[in-house]
């Protein structure tokens, strides 16, 4: 029996010397032949068969083409498995790496933020805009071409009386904007968007304003409202105007202003980035005087001056990121509703109030009596239908609220001062 014990001791010592890291069970070679019969020779192959098997296992363990995943632990001399950390935890445990990431990331964010801050002309409000001026202009031009295709056949020709009238009123407002900017720009002549030559006409706006004001001057001067109705106020405009900063107007340089009149009954008008003005005949049917039309056009141009569309795109980006975060904790429908009520709609109403202010000064600088503006917004509110809770659920403030804010003494006095200077022939330079 001594030979049996010696053989067993040899086998035990060889088994202990084999590294467990290179002996996965899935790769141990079978001693069964493919035909199902046991391989009897392997039982008595001695040391040579064991050595060959070990070398075969080594080749398997280091074969780079194996599909088996790499182990995430190592085995020490006491046969204890130590698991290695995975993912970002490795660098998070290094304070130096963490501080480097924090400092570099903060620097990038601060540079991005302050590098894209702009000051709105007139209101001196500072806003953050990611959209470049060239991209904003390209968006406006693309939308303008799409609108002309959509209303093909309904765009009034350039020689139509209403087209001539609207174009001349718009020219007054644009000229006022040019005078109001603190430095000279290269301006192209206001063109009509439907390609034909333009025809000049006369403007009777100032006389019409006088007639309109003589009828309702008492109503305008007697306007009062309670604090309970005041969903929006203009304190932010009054405070921002105290800043001694220069408004950003580079996006207005070399702009190609165009205007079209669309034969549609809707009471609407808008100004796209790049100076593309669209007026619908439904607006002209309800507002007969040139001063009233100039009030609406001045308001829409105010949106372009303040870059409200570009600001809206930037704000919507942040709103979308915030919504994605909240989706992890709150129902999506609730998040969307709260986002609209407390973020998107209030922002839109705030931009409308700012455009009202800029448009009021443009109206006065263009030679139209600014006291007509509150009447226009009140009339617009009646046409749109003012509901009790409509202001909370609308993108625009109520017509009554807009009329009240513009009728305040500190607002109207400045516009009347500009209007008086224009009427006396001196004009106003740099009021924005």
């Amino acid at each position: 029996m001594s030979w049996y014990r010696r053989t067993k001791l040899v086998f035990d010592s060889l088994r202990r010397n084999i590294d467990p890291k290179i002996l996965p069970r899935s790769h141990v070679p079978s001693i069964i032949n493919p035909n199902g019969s046991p391989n009897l020779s392997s039982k008595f192959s001695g040391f040579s068969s064991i050595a060959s098997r070990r070398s075969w296992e080594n080749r398997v363990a280091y074969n780079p083409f194996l599909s088996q995943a790499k182990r995430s632990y190592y085995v020490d001399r006491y046969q204890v498995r130590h698991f290695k950390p995975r993912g970002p935890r490795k660098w998070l445990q290094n304070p130096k790496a963490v501080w480097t990431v924090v400092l570099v990331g903060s620097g990038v964010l601060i540079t991005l933020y302050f590098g894209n801050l702009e000051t709105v002309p007139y209101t001196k409000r500072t806003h953050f805009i990611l959209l470049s001026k060239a991209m904003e202009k390209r968006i406006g031009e693309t939308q303008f071409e799409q609108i002309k295709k959509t209303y093909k056949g309904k765009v009034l020709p350039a020689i139509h009386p209403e087209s001539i009238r609207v174009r001349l009123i718009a020219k007054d407002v644009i000229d006022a904007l040019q005078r109001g900017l603190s430095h000279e720009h290269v301006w192209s002549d206001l063109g009509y968007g439907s390609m034909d030559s333009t025809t000049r006409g006369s403007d009777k706006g100032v006389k019409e304003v006088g007639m309109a004001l003589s009828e309702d001057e008492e109503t305008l001067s007697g306007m009062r409202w309670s604090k309970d109705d005041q969903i929006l106020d203009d304190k932010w405009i009054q405070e921002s105007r105290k800043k001694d900063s220069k408004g950003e107007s580079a996006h207005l340089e070399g702009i190609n202003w165009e205007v079209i009149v669309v034969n549609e009954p809707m009471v609407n008008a808008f100004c796209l980035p790049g100076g593309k003005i669209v007026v619908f005949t439904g607006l002209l049917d309800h507002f007969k005087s040139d001063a009233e039309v100039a009030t609406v056009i001045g308001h829409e141009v105010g949106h372009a001056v303040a870059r409200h569309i570009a600001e809206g795109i930037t704000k919507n980006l942040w709103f979308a990121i915030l919504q994605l975060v909240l989706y992890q904790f709150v129902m999506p429908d609730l998040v969307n509703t709260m986002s609209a009520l407390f973020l998107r709609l209030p922002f839109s109403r705030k931009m409308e109030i700012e455009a009202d202010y800029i448009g009021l000064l443009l109206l006065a600088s263009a030679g139209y009596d600014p006291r007509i503006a509150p009447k226009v917004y009140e009339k617009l509110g009646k046409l749109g239908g003012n509901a009790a809770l409509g202001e909370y659920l609308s993108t625009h403030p109520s017509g009554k609220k807009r009329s009240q804010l513009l009728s305040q003494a500190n607002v109207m006095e400045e516009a009347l001062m500009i209007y008086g200077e224009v009427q006396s022939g001196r004009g106003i330079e740099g009021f924005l």
Side-chain angles (χ1 to χ4, degrees):
M1 296 294 291
S2 60
W3 65 269
Y4 173 78
R5 291 177 182 177
R6 285 196 295 270
T7 305
K8 188 175 184 301
L9 288 174
V10 171
F11 272 98
D12 291 341
S13 63
L14 288 174
R15 189 181 301 116
R16 281 196 300 269
N17 290 332
I18 294 174
D19 190 351
K21 290 189 294 184
I22 60 173
L23 277 178
R25 285 184 174 272
S26 59
H27 295 292
V28 175
S30 174
I31 60 173
I32 304 298
N33 287 332
N35 57 12
S37 60
N39 190 351
L40 299 179
S41 62
S42 62
K43 294 181 179 180
F44 305 101
S45 58
F47 299 106
S48 60
S49 63
I50 295 174
S52 62
R53 184 175 67 176
R54 185 174 183 184
S55 63
W56 181 87
E57 289 169 350
N58 282 329
R59 290 197 299 272
V60 171
Y62 293 101
N63 190 345
F65 300 101
L66 285 179
S67 60
Q68 184 181 13
K70 183 179 179 181
R71 293 185 178 184
S72 60
Y73 63 87
Y74 68 94
V75 182
D76 61 12
R77 60 179 180 171
Y78 302 106
Q79 305 301 312
V80 177
R81 296 181 178 181
H82 298 269
F83 289 87
K84 301 175 183 178
R86 295 182 180 181
R89 289 167 49 193
K90 189 173 183 178
W91 66 267
L92 282 175
Q93 294 173 355
N94 185 352
K96 185 177 180 180
V98 172
W99 276 110
T100 301
V101 172
V102 170
L103 291 176
V104 172
S106 301
V108 171
L109 291 177
I110 291 173
T111 303
L112 179 68
Y113 179 75
F114 287 99
N116 289 278
L117 280 182
E118 295 182 2
T119 301
V120 178
Y122 167 63
T123 63
K124 304 299 187 292
R125 179 179 65 90
T126 302
H127 59 173
F128 173 67
I129 295 181
L130 284 175
L131 195 67
S132 67
K133 299 175 179 65
M135 178 62 70
E136 180 190 21
K137 184 178 179 181
R138 198 175 305 120
I139 290 174
E141 292 173 348
T142 302
Q143 290 180 338
F144 189 60
E145 293 301 322
Q146 185 63 40
I147 288 170
K148 289 195 288 187
K149 291 179 181 178
T150 302
Y151 294 103
K152 187 176 182 180
K154 295 184 177 181
V155 178
L156 299 181
I159 60 174
H160 192 281
E162 293 289 12
S163 299
I164 296 173
R165 177 187 173 219
V166 171
R167 187 170 64 252
L168 291 175
I169 297 172
K171 185 178 185 305
D172 290 339
V173 175
I174 300 306
D175 289 344
L177 178 61
Q178 181 183 12
R179 292 193 302 270
L181 295 173
S182 57
H183 59 278
E184 294 295 329
H185 296 301
V186 179
W187 298 79
S188 62
D189 292 335
L190 180 67
Y192 193 75
S194 64
M195 303 68 101
D196 289 339
S197 60
T198 60
T199 308
R200 302 298 177 187
S202 61
D203 182 13
K204 301 179 181 178
V206 177
K207 295 180 181 179
E208 294 173 351
V209 169
M211 296 175 62
L213 287 175
S214 63
E215 297 175 358
D216 294 302
E217 189 151 354
E218 294 183 3
T219 304
L220 287 172
S221 61
M223 281 186 175
R224 296 291 184 271
W225 68 95
S226 64
K227 282 285 182 182
D228 296 336
D229 297 331
Q230 192 162 335
I231 298 173
L232 294 168
D233 57 48
D234 58 346
K235 292 181 181 178
W236 58 278
I237 289 183
Q238 301 303 327
E239 292 175 358
S240 62
R241 289 213 63 194
K242 298 176 183 177
K243 301 177 183 177
D244 187 17
S245 56
K246 185 177 179 181
E248 174 63 43
S249 57
H251 60 289
L252 300 173
E253 295 181 1
I255 199 168
N256 180 29
W257 294 90
E258 291 184 76
V259 59
I260 61 173
V261 179
V262 180
N263 187 19
E264 279 286 317
M266 69 175 68
V267 183
N268 194 18
F270 51 85
C271 179
L272 298 170
K276 312 305 179 185
I277 302 172
V278 181
V279 179
F280 293 88
T281 54
L283 181 76
L284 304 178
D285 294 337
H286 289 87
F287 297 97
K288 301 295 184 181
S289 70
D290 290 355
E292 291 174 321
V293 177
T295 300
V296 178
I297 292 178
H299 167 86
E300 300 303 334
V301 171
H303 281 302
V305 171
R307 299 192 68 194
H308 284 163
I309 291 182
E311 184 178 2
I313 293 174
T314 303
K315 283 283 198 305
N316 286 333
L317 175 62
W318 300 126
F319 294 160
I321 294 174
L322 178 61
Q323 284 180 247
L324 289 175
V325 174
L326 293 178
Y327 283 161
Q328 312 302 318
F329 311 100
V330 188
M331 291 189 303
D333 291 342
L334 182 60
V335 171
N336 294 335
T337 303
M338 294 299 101
S339 173
L341 286 177
F342 297 110
L343 295 176
R344 299 179 191 275
L345 294 178
F347 166 74
S348 178
R349 292 191 291 266
K350 188 176 180 180
M351 298 303 97
E352 293 299 326
I353 290 179
E354 185 173 47
D356 289 347
Y357 274 78
I358 298 175
L360 183 69
L361 290 194
L362 289 175
L363 178 70
S365 184
Y368 299 96
D369 194 323
R371 288 171 291 186
I372 199 68
K375 283 180 53 183
V376 171
Y377 292 117
E378 194 166 9
K379 187 175 180 180
L380 279 172
K382 292 178 181 178
L383 291 173
N386 289 326
L389 295 177
E391 187 166 359
Y392 290 104
L393 306 175
S394 175
T395 57
H396 289 61
S398 66
K400 179 182 178 182
K401 175 59 60 180
R402 299 169 79 177
S403 175
Q404 291 166 350
L405 291 176
L406 293 182
S407 299
Q408 296 178 98
N410 58 343
V411 177
M412 191 57 68
E413 284 177 3
E414 184 177 5
L416 287 174
M417 182 269 293
I418 295 173
Y419 174 65
E421 293 289 336
V422 172
Q423 291 298 99
S424 64
R426 291 192 293 273
I428 292 293
E429 296 292 337
F431 73 90
L432 289 180

